Amino acid sequence: MDEYAGRVLADRYRLPRPPADEYELVETRAFDTYSGQEVLVRQVLLPEIVSAELMSPGQYGDQPGHGQDRTSDSAQRALDAARAAAAIPDHPRLVQVFDIFVEDGSLWIASELVNARPLASLLVDKRLGHYRAAEVASDVLVALRVLHAYGWTHRNVTASTVLVCDDGRAMLSGLAAGAAQEALCGYDPVPAEVMAGGNGAGWGGPDSALEQERARQARITVVGPVTERWAPEQATPVHENWQLAPPVGPAADLWALGSLLFRSVQGHPPFPEESTPELVQLVCAEPPAFAEESGPLRPIVESLLRPDPEERPDFDELEGWLRSLIRSAPEPDLGLRTVPVPTDPRKLPIVRRRGELVRRRRSAAAAAAASASAEGLSGATHRRHARAKQERSARQVNQAQSTRTNGPQQKASRERAPRSLGARLLILVLLLLVAVVVYALVMMPRNTTDDGSQAGATTRTVPAQMPGSGSDDKTSGKAPTTAPTSAKPPPTTRPPATSAPPATDLGGDFALRTDDAGFAVAVHTGWQRQGKNAQDQVRYTGGDFQLIVVPGRDAASDAGTDPMAYQSNEPELAPFRASQWASAGALRTLDVGGSPAAEGEYSWRDGNGHQVYARNLAVLQDGRYHLVLVIGPDDQRADVQRIFDKAAETYRPAD
């Protein structure tokens, strides 16, 4: 209570003492003396509105209080509109309004004090991420759907009225304040359903083009340069056929939501906000700025900022977009931001003994010995109790003897039970591991070479030989590409220059073609060949598939001797590097016939929006790179892989 030492509103709400440098109170915390709780109090100024038609120069002396009557009428309309907005039932995404009253020329709104920060204060520190902005927009969309179900249009969705709570959810406020401001300008924000229900808060709004234009001019003064509150249907100047203009409805709130998303991810509004008249003119005449940094939110933002309200998406479609985007959000990477917590050795947990804590009992033998010694020491004074003590001692001795004979067996049986259970579980786990290893060794297929030895994981066995590559001690055409270390050394004879290509089962739908460009490769029957183009590419096309062969265009002296680095900058993969929706995998280096090579698989979205899949092989032979690239639809990867395998197995440059 000590901090609330300022003025008291409505004999109930005690305000804090304002700072010395603050002259205008807009929004502050207050203490409700009735309920004993803290609330949030917002002030809406009620300017004096004077009608020029009703007050001529000769009427100043005749009707001195007329201006005050007009002001009271305007305040009453704002009060009725705000109270009608506050009558909406409570919802988890809407801030509750407790009280609305007029005092000292201002309208005061007492609402719920939420542990949250306005989105505007968060944007001062940094912009929101794409997926976080989608989460906030999804919560705001839920609140707007509730309001629209009751017939209301919010008209005040801004970065100041969206509150982000400590738990991450977003809440929407400002409905009552926005309705009061719209009423002050001359509009009627109360929906027809509320007026038909007997509330009586509505008055119909402007009923002529002149009053409509005056209300728009007044709104320019009251609302100010806030892009979210100036949808094109709200900013368009009024003409003679003003009744045919698009009405201000739920689509205006969608415009506000799109502007809010733009501001959250871009860091600035879609239109400049230096001047309200300039902002209104730009909204009507110019498109918004490009959402270049919106990422996956860009199509959503652009669809919400369309000038025609009929072209903006509906709520169901927008909710589906946001939900799918939130579901595709990546998991946060906490590894780099994890802070180690210092540990105090004095606060380490105490290691307790296993089992239940049971108080130890003295053994019967010890008890008998103690009793016997006590009897011997005190026999002279307590001889009358000797017989009773001797009987008790005899019983204790018998119990001690039975304990010595049966106790170890019982104790061993009790200790053996848990230990034997643990040993059995350990043996079962070991047997299960052995069974898994045996199954993996026996049942799993293995890649072996012709002599029965297992080939390496990154060794491609085809094509069997690239003539003219490596030194003179190369194997024949049927030998594997890279022999294992345990195999015999290859013969030193060099194959003839006219050696035939490796024998491969091409099937009935592939044929080996000898191209004029100086190579031989297996091509699907029926495919058309395109001549060698300016990039030294030879293309074979069939349907949605194409085979690209580049025989020795680039020299290693210019492109380097690393096939993997060359593949990363390969000109034939330029569409992959230029696409925003691209992925690569299975990148590895090979040894093809003694020549270094690299291959990989790529997927990207082409210029027509189609997802394509490609397999690529780059071989460095005699100082030049030979390329084999197969491209096809992404949903037919098996066919692309089959065509690539045939081409890679049979490709052979000219001698």
Side-chain angles (χ1 to χ4, degrees), residues 168-228:
R169 60 190 176 95
M171 300 181 66
L172 185 60
S173 64
L175 176 63
Q181 291 178 343
E182 297 290 337
L184 288 176
C185 299
Y187 294 103
D188 185 7
V190 182
E193 295 84 350
V194 178
M195 292 187 293
N199 192 308
W203 58 91
D207 56 359
S208 65
L210 181 59
E211 293 184 2
Q212 187 81 7
E213 180 61 24
R214 286 178 176 174
R216 191 181 75 93
Q217 295 296 332
R219 195 172 187 273
I220 292 177
T221 304
V222 173
V223 172
V226 182
T227 307
E228 288 82 356

Side-chain angles (χ1 to χ4, degrees), residues 397-486:
V397 170
N398 295 333
Q399 292 178 358
Q401 292 178 356
S402 63
T403 303
R404 284 195 298 269
T405 56
N406 301 328
Q409 298 178 359
Q410 296 177 357
K411 183 177 180 181
S413 62
R414 288 195 301 267
E415 293 179 354
R416 189 185 305 113
R419 293 180 180 177
S420 61
L421 179 60
R424 291 175 184 175
L425 291 177
L426 180 60
I427 293 174
L428 289 177
V429 172
L430 293 177
L431 290 177
L432 181 61
L433 292 177
V434 171
V436 172
V437 173
V438 171
Y439 175 81
L441 295 177
V442 175
M443 303 302 296
M444 298 296 288
R446 291 176 294 175
N447 184 20
T448 57
T449 57
D450 295 342
D451 57 355
S453 61
Q454 187 173 358
T458 60
T459 302
R460 189 178 185 87
T461 59
V462 289
Q465 181 173 337
M466 302 288 289
S469 61
S471 59
D472 294 340
D473 53 346
K474 297 301 176 184
T475 62
S476 61
K478 295 184 180 180
T481 302
T482 302
T485 56
S486 60

Side-chain angles (χ1 to χ4, degrees), residues 128-175:
L128 297 183
H130 303 147
Y131 301 103
R132 179 62 183 137
E135 292 177 347
V136 174
S138 180
D139 291 343
V140 175
L141 187 64
V142 172
L144 291 177
R145 296 197 70 164
V146 174
L147 296 179
H148 296 167
Y150 290 104
W152 282 85
T153 301
H154 195 280
R155 306 176 188 231
N156 193 17
V157 180
T158 63
S160 300
T161 58
V162 174
L163 307 179
V164 181
C165 303
D166 297 338
D167 58 358
R169 60 190 176 95
M171 300 181 66
L172 185 60
S173 64
L175 176 63

Side-chain angles (χ1 to χ4, degrees), residues 596-613:
E599 72 173 8
E601 59 181 19
Y602 302 87
S603 178
W604 69 87
R605 184 172 295 177
D606 59 7
N608 299 326
H610 299 152
Q611 194 73 18
V612 298
Y613 174 72

